[in-house]
Amino acid sequence: SKMTVKAGKMPCSTPNVYTKVPDGGWGWTVAFAFFFVEALTYGILKSFGVFFKDLMESFDETNSRISWIISICVFVQTFTAPLSTVLSNRFGHRLVVMAGGVLISTGMVIASFARSVVDMYVTIGLISGLGYCLSFLPTVTILSQYFDRRRSLVTAVASTGECFAVFSFAPAITALKEQIGWRYSLLAVGLLQLSIVVCGSLLRPIVIKEEEAAKAQPREEPTETKYMLENEQTRTSIESIDSGVEITTSPSNVPGKTKAEPKSEEPKEHVQMLVETDSSPAEPKTTLLDFSVMKDCSFICYAFFGLFATLGFFAPSLYIIPLSLSLGIGKDHSAYILSAMAIAEVFGRVSAGWVLNKQPIRKVYIELICVILLSVALFAFPFASEFWGLMTCSIFFGFMLGTVAGTHIPLLAEDDVVGIEKMSSAAGVYVFIQSLAGLAGPPLAGVLVDTTQKYSSAFYSCAAGMVLGAVFLSLVRPCKVGLCQQQRRQQQQSTEESTAAAVVVPDLPDDFIDMDIGKAENSGKASDSA
């Protein structure tokens, strides 16, 4: 069932109002937009290595100083995730993503006129980095709101835009550089990223009003309130006996046109007002960033999983080519290894989405299996000694990386972690925590390589981080189960305490109607004698 609200002039500007999660509809357009946002954000970041040699020659800088451009960009992108959440909750996902597209394009265009590497730090690192955060996180958040049963599959397929971008942008930009130079090529990339604004305009907000049906159902009145109503209406019937009203103790049998004395009408209206006040719940306040997720033990474990797992996300892509060159493999064959890794990642994302789409299934456990296999792939790299061995490790790593990278953020919407209600705030805090590993991961791997003079040490450090991430991921479900049991015990305890502390109704005679009749007769005799 679907209810739409027609307001405004632009069809994409009005929110979609549903009685339940649609699992489709306008969500397919949002998935289409997310595909291109993923390609124009992470796809460009992973393809930026084609500019490294040109930047080193133009600015006369070392490889490490040039690599800090991407490190700062990734850090700013993840560190400002809570800001992205706050702005999305305040101004809406569409406006925030469009503003992010403008920032990304502005940073890239200005960077094409840079005269030093410090200018690159500011333009691409800070300006574009902030734009990447404002564009990516709100898009994946609103996409999760449009889907429920198909969420894992749709998100995984849409996230393959990053893989297709790595596979196509790198050779395209390389060919473009040979024709017009790296500065104009970077300018063209910046103008291309301006299309994120168009993708952001397609992010139509969604409103789920599934609670209305529950609010429309009449609430059962408390026993004490029922007794008060019965007592008041009984007294009204007794005092109105002269009007020919039948004496009764059942509210349903009292005629609607019964005329009661003014004296008895006041308490009746008072009791009804109490019932109406009790049945109207207060509307919840909208919070820009819900930090209550930090009290959830399952989310804390999941955040530590993301922190340590991020150590193994970026370093292999950076060091696979130097590792292959150190083994005597040619540059062309080394490029083939990186391309094979990108293609395998596509299949990994789609496969993970298809498996996680099965019902019923504990998605956290499937993710845990993928993380363990990803750790095995990282440990296998140092044992490869020739082209085909390294190619096999790269394909296996790319496939397993796709299963984890395409699902670890959407998995926050599952009830085993935080649920769809707190998905927006949880994603902001989660990515913020990831920023620490995103900034420290590549430099840490570089220090190990410089110390040991072996590229294999970088893969060992990534594998160690992934193993620690698997340990924390295995604790997510037990923490959630323990928290639910604790809340259930607290509810039972509070119910027992409220029952014990309830107002004790005094014992009444079996025939309390006779007492009221007697009171009425005595009052009548008193008035006659007066």
Side-chain angles (χ1 to χ4, degrees), residues 202-277:
L202 299 176
L203 302 183
R204 196 170 180 178
I206 180 174
V207 177
I208 306 295
K209 290 194 174 182
E210 56 185 354
E211 298 179 357
E212 286 189 352
K215 290 181 180 179
Q217 297 177 357
R219 295 182 57 184
E220 184 179 356
E221 298 176 355
T223 306
E224 185 179 356
T225 305
K226 286 184 177 180
Y227 165 73
M228 293 172 65
L229 284 173
E230 286 189 7
N231 195 15
E232 293 299 333
Q233 295 188 10
T234 301
R235 185 182 303 172
T236 301
S237 300
I238 295 170
E239 295 181 356
S240 304
I241 192 170
D242 292 336
S243 302
V245 180
E246 182 182 1
I247 298 176
T248 178
T249 59
S250 175
S252 60
N253 292 332
V254 177
K257 297 182 180 180
T258 301
K259 294 181 180 179
E261 294 292 332
K263 175 182 173 182
S264 63
E265 192 70 18
E266 289 181 0
K268 181 177 179 181
E269 292 179 357
H270 179 66
V271 173
Q272 288 179 349
M273 215 161 66
L274 287 176
V275 174
E276 291 177 0
T277 304

Side-chain angles (χ1 to χ4, degrees), residues 157-371:
V157 173
S159 65
T160 57
E162 169 190 341
C163 307
F164 284 108
V166 174
F167 183 74
S168 59
F169 282 174
I173 295 174
T174 301
L176 189 63
K177 283 194 310 175
E178 296 177 355
Q179 300 296 326
I180 60 177
W182 73 267
R183 289 188 180 274
Y184 287 106
S185 299
L186 192 61
L187 177 64
V189 170
L191 295 177
L192 178 64
Q193 289 178 312
L194 192 61
S195 58
I196 294 177
V197 177
V198 180
C199 297
S201 65
L202 299 176
L203 302 183
R204 196 170 180 178
I206 180 174
V207 177
I208 306 295
K209 290 194 174 182
E210 56 185 354
E211 298 179 357
E212 286 189 352
K215 290 181 180 179
Q217 297 177 357
R219 295 182 57 184
E220 184 179 356
E221 298 176 355
T223 306
E224 185 179 356
T225 305
K226 286 184 177 180
Y227 165 73
M228 293 172 65
L229 284 173
E230 286 189 7
N231 195 15
E232 293 299 333
Q233 295 188 10
T234 301
R235 185 182 303 172
T236 301
S237 300
I238 295 170
E239 295 181 356
S240 304
I241 192 170
D242 292 336
S243 302
V245 180
E246 182 182 1
I247 298 176
T248 178
T249 59
S250 175
S252 60
N253 292 332
V254 177
K257 297 182 180 180
T258 301
K259 294 181 180 179
E261 294 292 332
K263 175 182 173 182
S264 63
E265 192 70 18
E266 289 181 0
K268 181 177 179 181
E269 292 179 357
H270 179 66
V271 173
Q272 288 179 349
M273 215 161 66
L274 287 176
V275 174
E276 291 177 0
T277 304
D278 182 68
S279 61
S280 58
E283 295 184 0
K285 297 181 180 180
T286 302
T287 55
L288 297 180
L289 187 61
D290 188 4
F291 282 102
S292 65
V293 295
M294 297 299 295
K295 300 179 181 179
D296 193 336
C297 296
S298 59
F299 173 75
I300 293 175
C301 291
Y302 197 83
F304 275 109
F305 150 70
L307 176 67
F308 290 107
T310 304
L311 295 174
F313 283 167
F314 297 100
S317 300
L318 296 176
Y319 289 101
I320 185 63
I321 291 182
L323 177 62
S324 61
L325 294 176
S326 65
L327 296 176
I329 302 174
K331 293 183 179 179
D332 295 337
H333 289 78
S334 300
Y336 293 155
I337 295 175
L338 189 60
S339 299
M341 183 186 297
I343 296 174
E345 188 176 346
V346 174
F347 289 99
R349 289 173 183 262
V350 176
S351 301
W354 179 78
V355 172
L356 295 178
N357 195 51
K358 297 296 181 180
Q359 297 288 345
I361 191 173
R362 286 294 177 191
K363 300 180 181 180
V364 173
Y365 292 151
I366 300 298
E367 187 85 354
L368 177 60
I369 295 174
C370 295
V371 172

